[in-house]
């Protein structure tokens, strides 16, 4: 085959959790090949052996796919979206298009990597080359090792090692390159019904639509606004639940609408070297540590990384779990956080720690129940972050907070919602209360509750657990291990 005829065969870019055009190594390399480029996304709910995207993630995916398609169409291309078993669809697509190469980014979980290895063998057998790069992390997870050649299990040591590495600069948008023309008949029976990603009956996504706009452009606007207005106060502002003190980049990072390398580099380009910027960068480092941990310890998703906790007797308490999910625990700051999650698909980071500690310590409910609920309801659901953070707050994971560290939700509310604005916003039935009565209404004077229109057990629930008793129960259970 002559070079000219080889270049006439298309190449495929298989998008995953990297739904952007800039700093996309796979797209960049495909564009540099000179061959016509076909961009594809495959939603495989059937064969990965891992939970498919949750409901909120599917809503977010719908918007992000539309944004990426629009960006590609402005340059003369499109995004082909398909649904079904990846190991059947990609070889079939390569055969129907006579593709000579497929480009993608490495995935993290062991089961995903095993699936990719099987795909590579199948495609190579059919004469199709596969080229993979790292596109969703700062560095190749194999690159950071201890002096003994092992892998880090403590974040502070990992973070120190990471800062000693040179993070590659983000790649610019590829210059003009040819796109493969997608015929209407191509893979027609495997086309993804993108409308099915959206909720229908009922349509519960109104709060998500009013809170978020997915997509690459919006991700960069969030980053720019944060660096101009919030980063100088990040050290304290990130903990104040009623304020816009965080970057709110997590759903864009989870879907890959912006890359961690872009965030990392942009902070440097702004010349931000103060303590607040350092703390913000360390949060990007924590995200990296989660992905690094998932890569090296795939059992993170299903098992306690600290195996001692396999003997812990979690409570089976479905009514308590439902009350927690619905924001009806009778603990105002916990209920505020859970209602924020349900209405917006997102929860403030400090609030995540509070509700996670409350579920796993005060209620003694298995962290996997909380992780599953977050997976379904968060627009920023991320397999690495979600599971590692739940194991951290439960005390069962790598570099975790000790199990005997039990957050007192009332004290957390007083410290991180000092004016009560966060509670009042999300628990409006308590809006006329103030001070201690707002934080712990079960201790309020009857006349104060009456004046505020609050009737415990009717307009607002009694606490489902006594905080002191719940803490004591958790510590007794821990000591029994």
């Amino acid at each position: 085959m002559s070079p000219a005829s080889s270049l006439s065969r298309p190449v495929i870019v298989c998008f995953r959790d990297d739904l952007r055009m800039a700093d996309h190594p796979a797209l960049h390399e495909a564009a540099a090949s000179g061959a016509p480029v076909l961009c594809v996304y495959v939603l495989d709910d059937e064969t990965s052996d891992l939970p498919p995207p949750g409901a909120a993630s599917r809503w977010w995916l719908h918007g992000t796919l539309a944004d990426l398609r629009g960006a590609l169409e402005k340059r003369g291309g499109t995004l082909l979206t398909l649904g079904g078993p990846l190991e059947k669809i990609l070889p079939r697509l390569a055969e129907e298009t006579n593709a000579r190469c497929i480009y993608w980014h490495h995935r993290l979980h062991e089961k995903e990597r095993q699936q990719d290895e099987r795909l590579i063998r199948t495609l190579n057998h059919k004469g199709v080359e596969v080229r993979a790069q790292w596109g969703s992390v700062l560095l190749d997870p194999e690159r950071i090792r201890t002096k003994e050649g092992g892998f880090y299990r403590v974040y502070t040591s990992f973070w120190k090692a990471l800062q000693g590495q040179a993070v590659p600069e983000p790649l610019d948008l590829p210059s003009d390159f040819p796109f493969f023309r997608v015929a209407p008949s191509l893979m027609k029976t495997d086309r993804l019904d993108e409308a099915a990603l959206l909720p229908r009956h009922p349509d519960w996504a109104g709060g998500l639509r009013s809170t978020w706009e997915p997509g690459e452009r919006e991700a960069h606007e969030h980053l720019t606004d944060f660096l101009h207005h919030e980063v100088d106060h990040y050290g304290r502002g990130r903990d104040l639940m009623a304020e816009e003190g965080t970057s709110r980049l997590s759903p864009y990072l989870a879907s890959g609408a912006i890359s961690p390398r872009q965030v990392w580099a942009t902070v440097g380009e702004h010349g931000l070297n103060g303590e607040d910027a350092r703390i913000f960068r360390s949060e990007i480092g924590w995200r990296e540590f989660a992905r690094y941990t998932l890569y090296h310890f795939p059992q993170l998703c299903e098992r306690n990384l600290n195996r001692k906790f396999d003997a812990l007797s979690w409570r089976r308490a479905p009514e308590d779990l439902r009350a927690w999910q619905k924001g009806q625990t009778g603990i105002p700051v916990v209920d505020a956080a859970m209602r924020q999650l349900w209405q917006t698909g997102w929860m403030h980071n400090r609030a995540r720690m509070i509700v996670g500690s409350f579920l796993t310590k005060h209620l003694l409910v298995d962290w996997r129940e909380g992780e599953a609920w977050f997976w379904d309801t968060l627009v920023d659901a991320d397999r690495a972050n979600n599971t590692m953070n739940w194991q951290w707050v439960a005390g069962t994971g790598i570099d975790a907070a000790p199990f005997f560290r039990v957050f007192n939700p009332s004290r957390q509310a007083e410290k991180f919602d000092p004016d009560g604005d966060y509670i009042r916003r999300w628990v409006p039935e308590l809006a006329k209360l103030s001070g201690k009565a707002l934080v712990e209404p079960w201790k309020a004077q009857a006349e104060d509750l009456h004046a505020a229109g609050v009737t415990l057990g009717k307009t607002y629930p009694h606490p489902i657990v006594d905080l002191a008793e719940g803490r004591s129960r958790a510590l007794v259970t821990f000591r029994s291990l």
Side-chain angles (χ1 to χ4, degrees), residues 273-343:
N273 298 308
E275 180 64 10
D276 291 284
R278 187 199 66 78
I279 294 172
F280 175 63
R281 262 195 168 178
S282 75
E283 291 299 309
I284 300 299
W286 179 258
R287 176 186 184 273
E288 188 80 357
F289 186 51
R291 302 175 88 75
Y292 175 91
T293 301
L294 178 63
Y295 180 87
H296 293 295
F297 304 96
Q299 65 270 31
L300 172 71
C301 294
E302 296 91 20
R303 302 205 320 254
N304 301 311
L305 290 186
N306 184 339
R307 302 307 301 275
K308 174 176 72 173
F309 287 91
D310 290 352
L312 191 144
S313 298
W314 300 106
R315 294 174 62 235
R316 295 187 61 82
E319 292 185 4
D320 286 355
L321 177 62
R322 278 194 296 272
W324 178 83
Q325 292 170 339
K326 294 179 179 180
Q328 294 290 333
T329 67
I331 311 297
V333 69
V334 172
D335 293 341
M338 298 305 296
R339 296 182 195 186
Q340 180 187 32
L341 170 61
W342 181 252
Q343 292 182 42

Side-chain angles (χ1 to χ4, degrees), residues 1 31 39 92 105 110 143 201 249 321 323 337 353:
M1 182 180 292
C39 297
R92 191 183 308 152
H105 290 150
E110 183 178 54
R143 185 166 158 184
H201 306 294
L249 283 170
L321 177 62
M353 290 189 277

Side-chain angles (χ1 to χ4, degrees), residues 18 90 204 214 346 429 467 469 480:
D18 47 18
L90 266 188
W204 44 260
W346 185 84
E429 60 267 41
L467 294 181
E469 292 177 3
S480 71

Side-chain angles (χ1 to χ4, degrees), residues 249-265:
L249 283 170
S250 54
Y252 300 99
L253 284 164
S255 61
I258 192 170
S259 76
R261 289 175 184 171
Q262 289 174 307
V263 178
W264 187 270

Side-chain angles (χ1 to χ4, degrees), residues 272-427:
L272 299 170
N273 298 308
E275 180 64 10
D276 291 284
R278 187 199 66 78
I279 294 172
F280 175 63
R281 262 195 168 178
S282 75
E283 291 299 309
I284 300 299
W286 179 258
R287 176 186 184 273
E288 188 80 357
F289 186 51
R291 302 175 88 75
Y292 175 91
T293 301
L294 178 63
Y295 180 87
H296 293 295
F297 304 96
Q299 65 270 31
L300 172 71
C301 294
E302 296 91 20
R303 302 205 320 254
N304 301 311
L305 290 186
N306 184 339
R307 302 307 301 275
K308 174 176 72 173
F309 287 91
D310 290 352
L312 191 144
S313 298
W314 300 106
R315 294 174 62 235
R316 295 187 61 82
E319 292 185 4
D320 286 355
L321 177 62
R322 278 194 296 272
W324 178 83
Q325 292 170 339
K326 294 179 179 180
Q328 294 290 333
T329 67
I331 311 297
V333 69
V334 172
D335 293 341
M338 298 305 296
R339 296 182 195 186
Q340 180 187 32
L341 170 61
W342 181 252
Q343 292 182 42
T344 71
W346 185 84
M347 186 192 294
H348 191 281
N349 184 61
R350 171 58 56 173
R352 297 187 197 205
M353 290 189 277
I354 294 170
V355 303
S357 177
F358 180 79
L359 182 72
T360 57
K361 311 292 178 64
H362 283 98
L363 298 183
L364 209 61
V365 171
D366 195 326
W367 62 266
R368 281 160 282 229
E369 297 281 7
E371 189 274 335
W373 184 251
F374 272 29
W375 180 257
D376 195 44
T377 54
L378 281 170
V379 293
D380 65 13
D382 174 282
R383 186 167 285 116
N385 279 8
N386 204 29
T387 49
M388 192 176 83
N389 285 328
W390 269 100
Q391 290 224 44
W392 180 87
V393 78
T396 65
I398 280 181
D399 200 14
F403 185 85
F404 54 78
R405 182 187 178 191
V406 182
F407 282 52
N408 183 310
S410 298
R411 291 198 196 113
Q412 292 282 311
E414 290 170 339
K415 186 175 182 179
F416 299 115
D417 185 28
D419 298 321
D421 294 337
Y422 182 74
I423 291 175
R424 288 193 189 90
R425 177 178 180 183
W426 298 108
V427 191

Side-chain angles (χ1 to χ4, degrees), residues 86-102:
L86 184 68
E87 293 181 59
K88 293 181 179 179
I89 283 183
L90 266 188
R92 191 183 308 152
L93 177 64
E95 184 175 349
E96 289 196 20
T97 58
N98 194 29
R100 64 184 179 89
C101 187
I102 295 180

Side-chain angles (χ1 to χ4, degrees), residues 143-154:
R143 185 166 158 184
I144 300 181
R145 292 177 178 259
T146 65
K147 292 179 181 178
E148 296 76 25
F151 305 106
Y152 288 100
R153 298 175 67 96
V154 176

